[in-house]
Amino acid sequence: MSTETADGNGEGGASGVEVTPAAAEEALSLMESEGMDIEEGGLRLFVQQGGCAGLSYGMRFDHEPEEDDMVVEAHGLRVFVDPASQSYIGGSTLDYEAGLQAEGFHVENPNVVSECGCGESFRT
């Protein structure tokens, strides 16, 4: 397991994932509401086959990282990324938006070549 500790602005580096303060705050709040240990647990960010463009993002809370996960720590949140997903989302930013038009977690990925019309799937 590799661990990247983010600096003050949540940057995980080119191979890691940047986490905004808003995303960390929302994820930590959700984890605490589910009774999860925020010291050991974290948000798993992964890529899966699916969607009209071929790939889509997935997120879930895990109680601990897997042995081969990259672990990014930012703003008190631990983000777990498996090796296969890391090649697709390295250098991405995880953000959280709360507004009238859209609410939820969003991944801004510099590796994306094209996205579907709804923005739920992508191709690199």
Side-chain angles (χ1 to χ4, degrees), residues 1 9 12 18 22 27-28 46 56 69 74 77 83 95 98 108:
M1 167 178 35
N9 52 7
E18 181 179 338
L28 289 168
F46 58 95
S56 63
D69 283 344
L77 176 68
D95 194 11
E108 296 172 25

Side-chain angles (χ1 to χ4, degrees), residues 80-105:
F80 309 146
V81 182
D82 65 88
S85 296
Q86 186 177 350
S87 63
Y88 292 106
I89 60 177
S92 294
T93 299
L94 177 64
D95 194 11
Y96 181 80
E97 294 180 20
L100 295 175
Q101 293 291 332
E103 182 172 0
F105 291 96

Side-chain angles (χ1 to χ4, degrees), residues 29-101:
S29 175
L30 290 169
M31 288 177 66
E32 288 175 341
S33 73
E34 292 186 15
M36 294 186 69
D37 179 357
I38 62 171
E39 299 296 322
E40 290 295 319
L43 176 69
R44 176 165 300 282
L45 178 60
F46 58 95
V47 173
Q48 59 192 359
Q49 295 289 327
C52 50
L55 299 169
S56 63
Y57 301 108
M59 291 179 224
R60 71 173 186 261
F61 294 121
D62 277 350
H63 292 282
E64 62 185 9
E66 297 292 328
E67 181 66 30
D68 57 352
D69 283 344
M70 175 185 65
V71 179
V72 175
E73 298 180 15
H75 309 290
L77 176 68
R78 292 166 34 111
V79 178
F80 309 146
V81 182
D82 65 88
S85 296
Q86 186 177 350
S87 63
Y88 292 106
I89 60 177
S92 294
T93 299
L94 177 64
D95 194 11
Y96 181 80
E97 294 180 20
L100 295 175
Q101 293 291 332

